[in-house]
Amino acid sequence: SSPHLVQVRERIRINGQPISKELFSKYFWLVYNRLEETKDPVHASMPAYFRFLTIMAFHVFLQEKVDLAVVEVGIGGAYDCTNIIRAPVVCGVSSLGIDHTSILGDTMEKIAWQKGGIFKPGVPAFTVTQPERPLEVLRDRAQERECLLYLCPELDAFEGGRRVLELGLAGTHQRSNAALALQLARTWLQRRSCRGLGELKEVPPGTELAGRPVPLAPAFQPTDAMIQGLRETEWLGRTQVLPRGPVTWYLDGAHTTSSVQACVRWFRQAALNQDKPHDGSEVRVLLFNATGDRDMAALLKLLVVRFWEGGRGVTVPGCLDQQNFNVTLENALTRCLENQRTWTQLLEEKGGQDPWLPTPLRAGGLLQPAPARGTLLLVPPAPRPLNSPALVFPCLAQALRWVAQGRDPRLAAPGATGAHPHPAASSGAVLLREAAAVRVLVTGSLHLVGGVLRLLDPALSQ
């Protein structure tokens, strides 16, 4: 799977656990040296980063003699370097979204064509509910590649009137992922001659499909092991909640419009489920960054509603030290400042007035922001700093320390490493220190979420 959050070893797992440092080092140098010895002497180049790790993953799985390898494509499918398996047991396509448009195309239909590139002759494939036209593209790709494509029934169909299947991953969007996972697992078990899990029937050409372009796969009663698997599934950085006293961190690596919409729904529900403070205010913090060719303004527009409803909040729309070596520091700073301007404009549009105008009121030492302001700025210096709508920090560690204000035991107080003298940072610090509850949503990039996890849970780096 890719990308990793904290350590590269997360990408290659055996029995759910990242391979050890010793095993990673052993296979890294074995593959590297073999490629070095056999590379083209004229075009003397090594595989790029992701291609190298893909070759290495396949080699690890072969050498360690795994029974089953689950391989997630990197980008798209048709031309992805993972797409070299001639006869996989089964293929799956989850919910489509607009992403990597410079490579995959700028419409859902073009992206569906790329995703359908993993289909193989005679190999069953499954997908979940998709918009009509992209689903038709997947159907056409399946027919072109002589692949048997089926639509997964909703997860409700697997419950059979019994109690609702519990999922270890939060969010309603995970129900379609769970239905897809059940079908993929069932196909593997049937290959192993397991019975009683429902049989797929090939649909002859021209058969009436009840208005669906793709036949519906049969539901079945999940085994006890499947039920346990769904319940105990964990995936760091996806709808993850880390409560730390008055500070609660909500982490979700959403980075497309559809996934950010799902993230907003999840955060709304997760925040509602938390106990409301009886003796003080609740402050919401949005920590955001995005990478690649994504439409950052569109993502922020989906998020502004959630924080506007909160009445007061602090927004950190960018940090500069993301571990993405394909982006220069100058480019990262430019993106952060663009996010800052976008967020300010969105707040202005939402409030119907200039967020710079309201004058902050002090009550009992606590900065009381006017509803149209609610957020703060650090870089660059603002003409009216106490009324600024966003912050940009030079590094992620500083941003987290500033948000936590010493109230998260895993993070040092900002004063321990030099507090920012900027007025906006000082006034925001008062708001955060005196709030009864601070709820921090981290989203927009898996690189960002990984950096936050590394700082909040240093054990993940071991």
Side-chain angles (χ1 to χ4, degrees):
S1 64
S2 63
H4 62 273
L5 293 175
V6 179
Q7 296 194 75
V8 68
R9 295 184 294 112
E10 298 167 26
R11 296 181 183 230
I12 307 174
R13 300 167 182 256
I14 296 179
N15 292 332
Q17 298 301 314
I19 61 175
S20 67
K21 292 181 179 180
E22 293 74 22
L23 212 57
F24 186 93
S25 179
K26 168 188 170 182
Y27 286 120
F28 175 91
W29 287 113
L30 194 155
V31 173
Y32 184 93
N33 291 333
R34 183 65 57 85
L35 290 171
E36 182 71 31
E37 294 165 3
T38 58
K39 67 184 179 184
D40 187 332
V42 179
H43 306 92
S45 62
M46 294 286 279
Y49 180 75
F50 184 80
R51 292 184 180 186
F52 180 92
L53 288 175
T54 301
I55 296 168
M56 179 176 161
F58 285 137
H59 188 69
V60 170
F61 294 149
L62 288 168
Q63 294 300 308
E64 295 297 313
K65 297 180 173 57
V66 300
D67 300 297
L68 167 68
V70 181
V71 180
E72 179 196 35
V73 300
I75 296 178
Y79 305 118
D80 192 79
C81 62
T82 60
N83 192 28
I84 62 169
I85 303 173
R86 294 185 179 90
V89 172
V90 63
C91 297
V93 177
S94 57
S95 296
L96 298 173
I98 298 291
D99 198 13
H100 302 294
T101 53
S102 62
I103 300 173
L104 304 181
D106 55 2
T107 68
M108 291 278 277
E109 289 79 7
K110 292 177 182 177
I111 291 171
W113 188 93
Q114 295 279 355
K115 299 289 185 178
I118 66 172
F119 297 157
K120 302 294 187 295
V123 173
F126 297 88
T127 189
V128 298
T129 302
Q130 311 280 9
E132 183 178 358
R133 278 296 301 137
L135 184 58
E136 290 173 351
V137 172
L138 288 175
R139 175 202 61 193
D140 294 345
R141 286 286 270 165
Q143 292 175 351
E144 166 196 324
R145 303 179 73 82
E146 300 177 345
C147 164
L148 309 173
L149 177 63
Y150 301 89
L151 189 66
C152 292
E154 299 295 329
L155 192 61
D156 300 7
F158 295 90
E159 294 169 342
R162 302 186 307 167
R163 63 186 180 88
V164 174
L165 289 170
E166 297 177 39
L167 302 184
L169 299 178
T172 55
H173 59 291
Q174 296 294 354
R175 291 182 64 81
S176 68
N177 290 337
L180 179 60
L182 286 172
Q183 293 288 2
L184 299 178
R186 180 200 61 83
T187 306
W188 166 252
L189 290 170
Q190 284 189 326
R191 174 68 71 88
R192 300 291 289 261
S193 300
C194 296
R195 301 296 178 188
L197 293 172
E199 298 296 325
L200 287 175
K201 295 182 177 61
E202 186 173 349
V203 180
T207 301
E208 176 59 44
L209 299 177
R212 289 184 298 269
V214 176
L216 193 67
F220 57 90
Q221 183 173 323
T223 65
D224 290 342
M226 289 177 173
I227 294 171
Q228 179 183 357
L230 293 177
R231 184 177 62 245
E232 297 181 359
T233 296
E234 295 180 350
W235 199 255
L236 295 181
R238 275 75 166 180
T239 58
Q240 183 179 1
V241 181
L242 290 175
R244 300 280 180 80
V247 183
T248 304
W249 304 88
Y250 300 81
L251 299 96
D252 190 72
H255 51 272
T256 66
T257 52
S258 56
S259 62
V260 168
Q261 286 173 331
C263 172
V264 168
R265 290 193 297 269
W266 161 71
F267 178 69
R268 178 184 288 119
Q269 190 60 45
L272 284 174
N273 289 340
Q274 297 291 320
D275 293 333
K276 297 299 177 185
H278 300 293
D279 56 346
S281 62
E282 174 183 305
V283 174
R284 292 182 189 147
V285 181
L286 171 64
L287 181 58
F288 176 88
N289 199 15
T291 60
D293 55 2
R294 297 179 176 91
D295 186 346
M296 293 177 285
L299 302 184
L300 287 169
K301 191 170 185 177
L302 295 170
L303 290 161
V304 73
V305 176
R306 176 68 259 159
F307 284 83
W308 186 263
E309 291 172 357
R312 67 175 59 177
V314 179
T315 307
V316 186
C319 298
L320 306 186
D321 64 345
Q322 296 309 296
Q323 285 187 315
N324 186 341
F325 299 109
N326 295 319
V327 179
T328 65
L329 182 62
E330 181 181 6
N331 181 267
L333 175 59
T334 300
R335 286 172 179 268
C336 290
L337 296 179
E338 286 174 358
N339 291 342
Q340 187 183 57
R341 284 191 293 270
T342 299
W343 188 259
T344 303
Q345 292 167 2
L346 288 170
L347 287 181
E348 290 175 0
E349 294 168 3
K350 190 72 179 175
Q353 57 180 307
D354 185 347
W356 301 105
L357 294 179
T359 303
L361 303 174
R362 290 187 177 277
L366 178 66
L367 181 69
Q368 299 288 346
R373 185 179 63 78
T375 44
L376 308 164
L377 169 92
L378 181 58
V379 176
R384 281 166 279 183
L386 289 180
N387 287 320
S388 302
L391 298 104
V392 173
F393 279 92
C395 78
L396 194 52
Q398 287 186 8
L400 295 191
R401 285 195 295 265
W402 183 84
V403 169
Q405 288 296 316
R407 305 179 76 186
D408 183 326
R410 302 281 184 96
L411 297 169
T417 53
H420 287 287
H422 196 288
S426 301
S427 60
V430 175
L431 188 69
L432 291 164
R433 280 198 300 269
E434 300 194 13
V438 179
R439 310 204 189 285
V440 190
L441 174 62
V442 183
T443 192
S445 164
L446 284 166
H447 295 285
L448 172 67
V449 168
V452 170
L453 273 173
R454 186 177 65 252
L455 293 168
L456 293 180
D457 190 355
L460 293 174
S461 299
Q462 301 303 314

